[in-house]
Coordinates of all heavy atoms in Angstrom, one line a residue:
L115 N -107.9 -64.2 -2.9 CA -108.0 -63.8 -4.2 C -107.8 -62.3 -4.2 O -108.4 -61.5 -3.4 CB -109.5 -64.1 -4.7 CG -109.7 -64.0 -6.2 CD1 -109.1 -65.2 -6.9 CD2 -111.2 -64.0 -6.5
H116 N -106.8 -61.7 -5.0 CA -106.6 -60.3 -5.0 C -106.0 -59.9 -6.3 O -105.2 -60.7 -6.9 CB -105.6 -60.0 -3.8 CG -105.7 -58.5 -3.5 ND1 -106.3 -58.1 -2.3 CD2 -105.2 -57.4 -4.0 CE1 -106.3 -56.8 -2.2 NE2 -105.6 -56.3 -3.3
F117 N -106.4 -58.8 -6.8 CA -105.8 -58.2 -8.1 C -105.2 -56.9 -7.8 O -105.9 -56.0 -7.2 CB -106.9 -58.1 -9.1 CG -106.4 -57.6 -10.5 CD1 -105.6 -58.4 -11.2 CD2 -106.6 -56.2 -10.9 CE1 -105.0 -57.9 -12.5 CE2 -106.1 -55.8 -12.0 CZ -105.3 -56.7 -12.9
F118 N -104.0 -56.7 -8.2 CA -103.2 -55.5 -8.0 C -103.1 -54.8 -9.3 O -102.3 -55.2 -10.1 CB -101.9 -55.7 -7.3 CG -101.9 -56.3 -6.0 CD1 -102.1 -57.6 -5.7 CD2 -101.8 -55.5 -4.8 CE1 -102.2 -58.2 -4.5 CE2 -101.8 -56.0 -3.6 CZ -102.0 -57.3 -3.4
P119 N -103.9 -53.8 -9.6 CA -103.9 -53.1 -10.9 C -102.8 -52.1 -11.1 O -103.1 -50.9 -11.2 CB -105.3 -52.4 -11.0 CG -105.6 -52.1 -9.5 CD -104.9 -53.2 -8.7
Q120 N -101.6 -52.5 -11.1 CA -100.5 -51.6 -11.3 C -99.4 -52.3 -12.2 O -99.5 -53.6 -12.5 CB -99.8 -51.3 -10.0 CG -100.7 -50.6 -9.0 CD -100.0 -50.4 -7.7 OE1 -98.9 -50.1 -7.6 NE2 -100.7 -50.6 -6.6
A121 N -98.5 -51.5 -12.7 CA -97.4 -52.1 -13.5 C -96.6 -53.0 -12.7 O -96.2 -52.7 -11.5 CB -96.6 -51.0 -14.1
A122 N -96.3 -54.2 -13.2 CA -95.5 -55.2 -12.5 C -94.1 -54.7 -12.2 O -93.5 -54.1 -13.1 CB -95.4 -56.5 -13.2
G123 N -93.5 -54.9 -11.1 CA -92.2 -54.5 -10.7 C -91.9 -55.0 -9.3 O -92.7 -55.4 -8.6
A124 N -90.6 -54.8 -8.9 CA -90.2 -55.2 -7.6 C -90.9 -54.5 -6.5 O -91.3 -55.1 -5.4 CB -88.7 -55.0 -7.4
N125 N -91.3 -53.2 -6.7 CA -92.0 -52.5 -5.6 C -93.4 -53.0 -5.4 O -93.8 -53.2 -4.3 CB -92.0 -51.0 -6.0 CG -90.7 -50.3 -5.9 OD1 -89.8 -50.8 -5.2 ND2 -90.6 -49.2 -6.6
L126 N -94.1 -53.3 -6.5 CA -95.4 -53.9 -6.4 C -95.3 -55.3 -5.7 O -96.2 -55.7 -4.9 CB -96.1 -54.0 -7.7 CG -97.5 -54.6 -7.8 CD1 -98.4 -53.9 -6.8 CD2 -98.1 -54.6 -9.1
L127 N -94.4 -56.1 -6.2 CA -94.2 -57.4 -5.6 C -93.9 -57.3 -4.1 O -94.4 -58.2 -3.3 CB -93.1 -58.1 -6.4 CG -93.5 -58.9 -7.6 CD1 -92.2 -59.6 -8.2 CD2 -94.6 -59.9 -7.4
E128 N -93.1 -56.4 -3.7 CA -92.8 -56.2 -2.3 C -94.1 -55.9 -1.6 O -94.3 -56.4 -0.4 CB -91.7 -55.1 -2.1 CG -91.2 -55.1 -0.7 CD -90.0 -54.2 -0.6 OE1 -89.6 -53.6 -1.6 OE2 -89.5 -54.1 0.5
K129 N -94.9 -55.1 -2.1 CA -96.2 -54.7 -1.5 C -97.1 -56.0 -1.4 O -97.7 -56.2 -0.3 CB -96.9 -53.7 -2.3 CG -98.3 -53.3 -1.9 CD -99.0 -52.3 -2.8 CE -100.4 -52.0 -2.3 NZ -101.1 -51.1 -3.3
I130 N -97.1 -56.8 -2.4 CA -97.9 -58.0 -2.4 C -97.4 -58.9 -1.3 O -98.2 -59.6 -0.6 CB -97.8 -58.7 -3.8 CG1 -98.6 -57.9 -4.9 CG2 -98.4 -60.1 -3.7 CD1 -98.4 -58.4 -6.3
G131 N -96.1 -59.0 -1.2 CA -95.5 -59.9 -0.2 C -95.9 -59.5 1.2 O -96.2 -60.4 2.0
R132 N -95.9 -58.2 1.4 CA -96.3 -57.7 2.7 C -97.8 -58.0 3.0 O -98.2 -58.5 4.1 CB -96.0 -56.2 2.9 CG -94.5 -55.9 3.0 CD -94.3 -54.5 3.5 NE -95.1 -53.5 2.7 CZ -94.7 -52.9 1.6 NH1 -93.5 -53.1 1.2 NH2 -95.5 -52.0 1.0
E133 N -98.6 -57.5 2.0 CA -100.0 -57.5 2.3 C -100.6 -58.9 2.3 O -101.6 -59.2 3.1 CB -100.8 -56.7 1.2 CG -100.5 -55.2 1.3 CD -101.4 -54.4 0.4 OE1 -102.3 -55.0 -0.2 OE2 -101.2 -53.2 0.2
L134 N -100.1 -59.8 1.5 CA -100.6 -61.2 1.5 C -99.8 -62.2 2.3 O -100.2 -63.4 2.3 CB -100.7 -61.7 0.0 CG -101.5 -60.8 -0.9 CD1 -101.6 -61.5 -2.3 CD2 -102.9 -60.5 -0.5
H135 N -98.8 -61.7 3.0 CA -97.9 -62.6 3.8 C -97.5 -63.7 2.9 O -97.6 -64.9 3.2 CB -98.7 -63.1 5.0 CG -99.2 -62.0 5.9 ND1 -98.4 -61.3 6.7 CD2 -100.5 -61.6 6.0 CE1 -99.2 -60.4 7.4 NE2 -100.4 -60.6 7.0
A136 N -96.9 -63.4 1.7 CA -96.6 -64.3 0.7 C -95.6 -65.4 1.2 O -95.8 -66.6 0.7 CB -95.9 -63.6 -0.5
N137 N -94.7 -65.1 2.0 CA -93.8 -66.1 2.4 C -94.3 -67.2 3.5 O -93.6 -68.0 3.9 CB -92.4 -65.5 3.0 CG -91.6 -64.9 1.8 OD1 -91.6 -65.5 0.7 ND2 -91.0 -63.8 2.1
D138 N -95.6 -67.0 3.8 CA -96.3 -68.0 4.6 C -96.7 -69.2 3.6 O -97.2 -70.2 4.1 CB -97.5 -67.5 5.3 CG -97.1 -66.5 6.4 OD1 -95.9 -66.6 6.9 OD2 -98.0 -65.8 6.9
Y139 N -96.6 -69.0 2.3 CA -97.1 -69.9 1.3 C -95.9 -70.4 0.5 O -94.8 -69.9 0.6 CB -98.0 -69.3 0.3 CG -99.3 -68.7 0.9 CD1 -99.4 -67.4 1.4 CD2 -100.5 -69.4 0.9 CE1 -100.5 -66.9 1.9 CE2 -101.7 -68.9 1.3 CZ -101.7 -67.7 1.9 OH -102.9 -67.1 2.4
Q140 N -96.1 -71.5 -0.2 CA -95.3 -71.8 -1.3 C -95.7 -71.0 -2.5 O -96.9 -71.0 -2.9 CB -95.4 -73.3 -1.7 CG -94.9 -74.3 -0.5 CD -95.1 -75.7 -0.9 OE1 -94.2 -76.4 -1.4 NE2 -96.3 -76.2 -0.8
C141 N -94.8 -70.2 -3.0 CA -95.2 -69.2 -4.1 C -94.8 -69.7 -5.5 O -93.7 -70.3 -5.6 CB -94.5 -67.9 -3.8 SG -95.2 -67.0 -2.3
L142 N -95.7 -69.5 -6.4 CA -95.3 -69.8 -7.8 C -95.8 -68.7 -8.7 O -96.7 -67.9 -8.3 CB -96.0 -71.1 -8.2 CG -97.5 -71.3 -8.3 CD1 -98.1 -70.8 -9.6 CD2 -97.9 -72.7 -8.0
T143 N -95.2 -68.6 -9.9 CA -95.7 -67.7 -10.9 C -95.9 -68.4 -12.2 O -95.5 -69.6 -12.3 CB -94.6 -66.5 -11.0 OG1 -95.2 -65.5 -11.8 CG2 -93.3 -67.0 -11.6
V144 N -96.5 -67.8 -13.1 CA -96.9 -68.4 -14.4 C -96.3 -67.6 -15.6 O -96.5 -66.4 -15.6 CB -98.4 -68.5 -14.6 CG1 -98.8 -69.3 -15.8 CG2 -99.0 -69.3 -13.3
L145 N -95.7 -68.2 -16.5 CA -95.1 -67.5 -17.6 C -96.3 -67.1 -18.6 O -97.3 -67.8 -18.7 CB -94.2 -68.4 -18.4 CG -92.8 -68.7 -17.7 CD1 -92.0 -69.6 -18.6 CD2 -92.1 -67.5 -17.3
G146 N -96.1 -66.1 -19.3 CA -97.0 -65.7 -20.4 C -96.8 -66.5 -21.6 O -95.8 -67.1 -21.8
G147 N -97.8 -66.5 -22.5 CA -97.8 -67.3 -23.7 C -96.6 -67.0 -24.6 O -96.2 -67.9 -25.3
G148 N -96.1 -65.8 -24.6 CA -95.0 -65.5 -25.5 C -93.6 -65.7 -24.9 O -92.6 -65.3 -25.4
E149 N -93.6 -66.2 -23.6 CA -92.3 -66.3 -22.9 C -91.7 -67.7 -22.9 O -90.7 -67.9 -22.3 CB -92.5 -65.8 -21.4 CG -92.9 -64.4 -21.3 CD -93.1 -64.0 -19.9 OE1 -93.8 -64.7 -19.1 OE2 -92.6 -62.9 -19.5
Y150 N -92.3 -68.6 -23.6 CA -91.8 -70.0 -23.6 C -92.4 -70.7 -24.8 O -93.3 -70.2 -25.5 CB -92.2 -70.8 -22.3 CG -93.7 -71.0 -22.3 CD1 -94.3 -72.2 -22.7 CD2 -94.6 -70.0 -21.9 CE1 -95.7 -72.4 -22.6 CE2 -96.0 -70.2 -21.9 CZ -96.5 -71.4 -22.3 OH -97.8 -71.6 -22.2
Q151 N -91.8 -71.9 -25.1 CA -92.3 -72.7 -26.2 C -92.5 -74.1 -25.7 O -91.8 -74.6 -24.9 CB -91.4 -72.7 -27.4 CG -91.2 -71.3 -28.1 CD -90.1 -71.3 -29.2 OE1 -89.0 -70.9 -28.9 NE2 -90.4 -71.8 -30.3
V152 N -93.5 -74.8 -26.3 CA -93.8 -76.2 -25.9 C -93.7 -77.0 -27.2 O -94.3 -76.7 -28.2 CB -95.2 -76.4 -25.3 CG1 -95.5 -77.8 -25.0 CG2 -95.3 -75.5 -24.0
F153 N -93.0 -78.1 -27.1 CA -92.8 -79.1 -28.2 C -93.3 -80.5 -27.8 O -92.8 -80.9 -26.7 CB -91.4 -79.1 -28.7 CG -90.8 -77.8 -29.2 CD1 -90.2 -77.0 -28.2 CD2 -91.0 -77.3 -30.4 CE1 -89.7 -75.7 -28.6 CE2 -90.5 -76.0 -30.8 CZ -89.9 -75.3 -29.9
A154 N -94.0 -81.1 -28.6 CA -94.3 -82.6 -28.3 C -93.4 -83.4 -29.1 O -93.3 -83.3 -30.4 CB -95.8 -82.9 -28.7
V155 N -92.5 -84.2 -28.5 CA -91.5 -85.0 -29.1 C -91.5 -86.4 -28.6 O -92.0 -86.7 -27.5 CB -90.1 -84.3 -28.9 CG1 -90.0 -82.9 -29.5 CG2 -89.7 -84.3 -27.4
D156 N -90.9 -87.3 -29.3 CA -90.7 -88.7 -28.8 C -89.7 -88.6 -27.7 O -88.6 -87.9 -27.8 CB -90.2 -89.6 -29.9 CG -91.4 -89.9 -30.9 OD1 -92.5 -89.8 -30.5 OD2 -91.0 -90.2 -32.1
A157 N -89.9 -89.4 -26.6 CA -88.9 -89.5 -25.6 C -87.7 -90.2 -26.0 O -87.8 -91.3 -26.6 CB -89.5 -90.2 -24.4
P158 N -86.5 -89.6 -25.9 CA -85.2 -90.3 -26.3 C -85.1 -91.6 -25.5 O -85.4 -91.7 -24.3 CB -84.2 -89.3 -25.9 CG -84.8 -88.0 -25.8 CD -86.2 -88.3 -25.3

């Protein structure tokens, strides 16, 4: 569990990758609420 209180960017992500050994894990990220849309529809 770790929180990095800085503006998101490649430099911060690179720091996260080094400090948390990110590539030892399967990595995922989560979209924000305004970055996608969800629709419930009938399956074709």
Side-chain angles (χ1 to χ4, degrees):
L115 199 73
H116 202 103
F117 182 73
F118 294 84
Q120 301 176 36
N125 291 339
L126 177 55
L127 277 179
E128 190 170 0
K129 176 183 176 182
I130 290 172
R132 289 194 310 269
E133 292 189 9
L134 303 185
H135 305 285
N137 285 328
D138 291 343
Y139 299 84
Q140 296 179 95
C141 292
L142 64 87
T143 190
V144 183
L145 293 179
E149 294 182 311
Y150 68 98
Q151 294 174 264
V152 177
F153 303 92
V155 299
D156 289 335

